[in-house]
Amino acid sequence: MTANWATFTAAEPDLAATVEKRFGAFTHHILATLRKDGSPRTTGLEVRFLDGELWLGMMPDSLKALDLRRDARFALQANPGPGTDTHGGDVRVSGRAVEVTDAGVKGAYRKEVEPPEPFHLFRTELTEVVRTYVEDEKYLVVQVWKPGGPVRTLKRT
Protein backbone atom coordinates (compact mmCIF):
# COMPACT_ATOMS: atom_id res chain seq x y z
CA MET A 1 0.00 0.00 0.00
CA THR A 2 1.28 3.49 -0.88
CA ALA A 3 0.09 7.06 -0.38
CA ASN A 4 1.04 10.42 -1.78
CA TRP A 5 2.12 13.35 0.40
CA ALA A 6 -1.39 14.85 0.54
CA THR A 7 -2.79 11.57 1.89
CA PHE A 8 -0.09 11.47 4.57
CA THR A 9 -0.73 15.13 5.46
CA ALA A 10 -4.47 14.51 5.80
CA ALA A 11 -3.91 11.41 7.95
CA GLU A 12 -1.16 12.82 10.20
CA PRO A 13 -0.96 16.62 9.87
CA ASP A 14 1.30 17.20 12.90
CA LEU A 15 3.91 14.64 11.85
CA ALA A 16 3.72 15.81 8.22
CA ALA A 17 4.35 19.43 9.30
CA THR A 18 7.33 18.30 11.40
CA VAL A 19 8.76 16.31 8.49
CA GLU A 20 8.32 19.20 6.03
CA LYS A 21 9.96 21.60 8.49
CA ARG A 22 12.85 19.19 8.98
CA PHE A 23 13.42 18.85 5.21
CA GLY A 24 13.01 22.61 4.82
CA ALA A 25 15.84 23.33 7.27
CA PHE A 26 18.49 22.42 4.66
CA THR A 27 18.65 22.31 0.87
CA HIS A 28 20.40 18.99 0.26
CA HIS A 29 19.37 15.57 1.59
CA ILE A 30 20.42 11.95 1.09
CA LEU A 31 18.63 9.66 -1.37
CA ALA A 32 19.21 5.90 -1.35
CA THR A 33 18.43 3.93 -4.50
CA LEU A 34 19.28 0.43 -5.70
CA ARG A 35 21.98 -0.26 -8.29
CA LYS A 36 21.63 -2.89 -11.05
CA ASP A 37 23.24 -5.49 -8.79
CA GLY A 38 20.89 -4.66 -5.89
CA SER A 39 23.48 -2.89 -3.76
CA PRO A 40 22.59 0.51 -2.30
CA ARG A 41 23.63 3.85 -3.78
CA THR A 42 23.41 7.08 -1.77
CA THR A 43 23.53 10.51 -3.37
CA GLY A 44 22.67 14.09 -2.56
CA LEU A 45 19.33 15.51 -3.68
CA GLU A 46 17.03 18.51 -3.33
CA VAL A 47 13.34 17.81 -2.66
CA ARG A 48 10.18 19.86 -3.02
CA PHE A 49 6.75 19.66 -1.41
CA LEU A 50 4.30 21.10 -3.96
CA ASP A 51 0.64 20.54 -4.77
CA GLY A 52 0.21 17.67 -2.30
CA GLU A 53 3.23 15.76 -3.59
CA LEU A 54 6.81 15.14 -2.53
CA TRP A 55 8.90 15.64 -5.69
CA LEU A 56 12.39 14.45 -6.55
CA GLY A 57 14.08 16.34 -9.38
CA MET A 58 17.32 15.09 -10.99
CA MET A 59 19.82 15.88 -13.70
CA PRO A 60 19.33 14.01 -16.98
CA ASP A 61 20.63 10.45 -16.98
CA SER A 62 22.03 10.76 -13.45
CA LEU A 63 22.77 7.38 -11.89
CA LYS A 64 20.04 7.90 -9.26
CA ALA A 65 17.47 8.62 -12.00
CA LEU A 66 18.55 5.53 -13.92
CA ASP A 67 18.36 3.49 -10.69
CA LEU A 68 14.79 4.69 -10.05
CA ARG A 69 13.72 3.95 -13.62
CA ARG A 70 14.91 0.37 -13.13
CA ASP A 71 13.70 -0.10 -9.53
CA ALA A 72 11.41 2.57 -8.11
CA ARG A 73 12.15 1.85 -4.44
CA PHE A 74 13.90 4.63 -2.53
CA ALA A 75 14.70 5.92 0.94
CA LEU A 76 15.20 9.61 1.62
CA GLN A 77 16.85 10.99 4.76
CA ALA A 78 16.75 14.62 5.82
CA ASN A 79 20.11 16.34 6.15
CA PRO A 80 21.08 16.02 9.82
CA GLY A 81 22.69 19.45 9.86
CA PRO A 82 25.88 20.57 11.55
CA GLY A 83 27.20 19.07 14.77
CA THR A 84 25.49 16.34 16.74
CA ASP A 85 22.09 18.00 17.26
CA THR A 86 19.63 16.83 14.59
CA HIS A 87 17.48 19.95 15.01
CA GLY A 88 14.04 18.36 15.36
CA GLY A 89 14.95 14.72 14.98
CA ASP A 90 16.06 12.35 12.29
CA VAL A 91 13.49 12.08 9.50
CA ARG A 92 13.27 9.39 6.80
CA VAL A 93 10.76 8.76 4.04
CA SER A 94 10.58 5.53 2.04
CA GLY A 95 8.52 4.45 -0.92
CA ARG A 96 8.43 4.29 -4.69
CA ALA A 97 9.40 7.05 -7.12
CA VAL A 98 7.28 7.31 -10.27
CA GLU A 99 8.79 9.23 -13.16
CA VAL A 100 6.63 12.03 -14.51
CA THR A 101 6.76 12.55 -18.26
CA ASP A 102 3.53 14.54 -18.68
CA ALA A 103 4.52 17.89 -20.21
CA GLY A 104 1.85 19.81 -18.29
CA VAL A 105 2.93 18.46 -14.91
CA LYS A 106 6.62 19.00 -15.67
CA GLY A 107 5.81 22.50 -16.92
CA ALA A 108 4.03 23.42 -13.69
CA TYR A 109 6.97 22.09 -11.68
CA ARG A 110 9.41 23.96 -13.93
CA LYS A 111 7.50 27.21 -13.45
CA GLU A 112 7.53 26.86 -9.65
CA VAL A 113 11.04 25.46 -9.08
CA GLU A 114 13.02 26.64 -12.15
CA PRO A 115 15.31 23.58 -12.33
CA PRO A 116 18.19 23.38 -14.80
CA GLU A 117 17.03 21.93 -18.11
CA PRO A 118 16.62 19.14 -19.01
CA PHE A 119 15.66 17.21 -15.88
CA HIS A 120 14.01 14.04 -14.60
CA LEU A 121 11.03 14.48 -12.30
CA PHE A 122 9.72 11.81 -9.95
CA ARG A 123 6.54 11.85 -7.85
CA THR A 124 6.76 9.81 -4.65
CA GLU A 125 4.40 7.12 -3.39
CA LEU A 126 5.08 6.70 0.32
CA THR A 127 5.32 3.36 2.11
CA GLU A 128 6.74 4.68 5.39
CA VAL A 129 7.61 7.91 7.21
CA VAL A 130 9.82 7.73 10.31
CA ARG A 131 10.88 10.38 12.80
CA THR A 132 13.40 9.57 15.55
CA TYR A 133 14.23 12.04 18.31
CA VAL A 134 15.34 12.30 21.93
CA GLU A 135 12.75 13.32 24.53
CA ASP A 136 13.68 14.79 27.92
CA GLU A 137 17.31 13.77 27.33
CA LYS A 138 16.19 10.31 28.46
CA TYR A 139 14.05 8.57 25.84
CA LEU A 140 14.68 7.67 22.24
CA VAL A 141 11.31 8.16 20.55
CA VAL A 142 10.51 6.62 17.18
CA GLN A 143 7.34 7.61 15.30
CA VAL A 144 6.42 5.36 12.37
CA TRP A 145 3.60 5.96 9.88
CA LYS A 146 2.55 3.57 7.15
CA PRO A 147 -0.39 4.10 4.75
CA GLY A 148 -3.71 2.93 6.13
CA GLY A 149 -2.74 3.14 9.78
CA PRO A 150 -2.07 5.62 12.56
CA VAL A 151 1.35 6.74 13.74
CA ARG A 152 2.96 4.16 16.03
CA THR A 153 5.16 5.65 18.74
CA LEU A 154 7.89 3.61 20.42
CA LYS A 155 9.98 4.85 23.40
CA ARG A 156 13.25 3.37 24.59
CA THR A 157 15.63 4.38 27.35
Side-chain angles (χ1 to χ4, degrees):
M1 178 180 271
T2 63
N4 73 352
W5 192 258
T7 301
F8 169 55
T9 300
E12 297 294 340
D14 293 339
L15 181 57
T18 299
V19 171
E20 282 192 46
K21 182 178 178 183
R22 188 66 192 75
F23 274 103
F26 299 95
T27 302
H28 297 96
H29 306 285
I30 303 298
L31 177 71
T33 58
L34 296 170
R35 301 171 192 252
K36 284 181 192 177
D37 67 3
S39 63
R41 180 191 317 272
T42 58
T43 53
L45 178 79
E46 294 181 28
V47 302
R48 295 287 192 277
F49 297 91
L50 296 169
D51 301 322
E53 301 287 356
L54 169 56
W55 301 98
L56 311 176
M58 300 169 203
M59 293 183 349
D61 298 323
S62 63
L63 293 176
K64 59 191 159 197
L66 298 176
D67 286 346
L68 290 172
R69 281 179 159 179
R70 187 178 46 260
D71 187 327
R73 293 176 292 173
F74 76 92
L76 178 66
Q77 182 159 358
N79 184 328
T84 58
D85 182 5
T86 56
H87 305 286
D90 177 51
V91 173
R92 296 180 308 279
V93 176
S94 300
R96 295 177 40 81
V98 178
E99 187 165 17
V100 175
T101 57
D102 180 271
V105 174
K106 283 187 83 171
Y109 181 87
R110 182 183 303 111
K111 184 177 180 181
E112 185 71 31
V113 177
E114 299 179 0
E117 295 282 348
F119 65 99
H120 292 286
L121 182 61
F122 293 85
R123 178 183 53 76
T124 60
E125 295 178 348
L126 311 178
T127 57
E128 183 177 70
V129 177
V130 179
R131 176 181 179 224
T132 305
Y133 63 97
V134 176
E135 182 180 278
D136 299 331
E137 297 182 27
K138 181 178 180 180
Y139 300 102
L140 179 68
V141 180
V142 181
Q143 296 174 294
V144 179
W145 177 83
K146 293 183 179 186
V151 170
R152 290 181 307 128
T153 302
L154 311 157
K155 282 189 180 184
R156 295 181 7 195
T157 54

